[in-house]
């Protein structure tokens, strides 16, 4: 088993334009985002191949929206 923090993963990814941290517990590949919805003033991402929505924190909403619009 390999234990690594999300911060270390984010550093190893570097400046990939399609990888973004959307929540303190999630880094997503924006190429697999099907939709972004607003539920009770909290955004959620729907990822291809999964039924569970991924939350987007308020601090990361602007960055996620910006990168999604650039794709």
């Amino acid at each position: 088993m390999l234990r690594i923090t999300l911060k270390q993963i984010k550093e190893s990814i570097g400046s990939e334009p399609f990888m973004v941290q959307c929540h303190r517990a999630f880094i997503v590949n924006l190429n697999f985002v099907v939709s972004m919805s607003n539920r009770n003033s909290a955004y959620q991402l729907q990822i291809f191949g999964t039924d569970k929505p991924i939350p987007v924190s308020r601090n990361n909403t602007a960055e996620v929206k910006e990168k999604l619009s650039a794709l």
Side-chain angles (χ1 to χ4, degrees):
M1 180 187 290
L2 176 67
R3 295 184 66 101
I4 187 169
T5 65
L6 213 55
K7 182 178 181 178
Q8 291 170 326
I9 292 172
K10 191 174 177 181
E11 289 171 357
S12 70
I13 291 171
S15 61
E16 295 294 332
F18 52 87
M19 299 296 285
V20 65
Q21 184 169 1
C22 63
H23 190 268
R24 69 180 178 90
F26 295 97
I27 293 177
V28 296
N29 183 338
L30 295 177
N31 292 326
F32 291 95
V33 172
V34 176
S35 65
M36 183 172 181
S37 60
N38 187 358
R39 308 246 177 172
N40 300 328
S41 72
Y43 285 97
Q44 296 178 337
L45 298 174
Q46 187 62 45
I47 305 294
F48 178 77
T50 183
D51 294 331
K52 185 175 179 179
I54 306 297
V56 178
S57 70
R58 284 182 264 153
N59 292 335
N60 296 328
T61 300
E63 180 183 5
V64 171
K65 282 183 173 181
E66 176 185 322
K67 288 191 176 188
L68 273 175
S69 65
L71 290 178

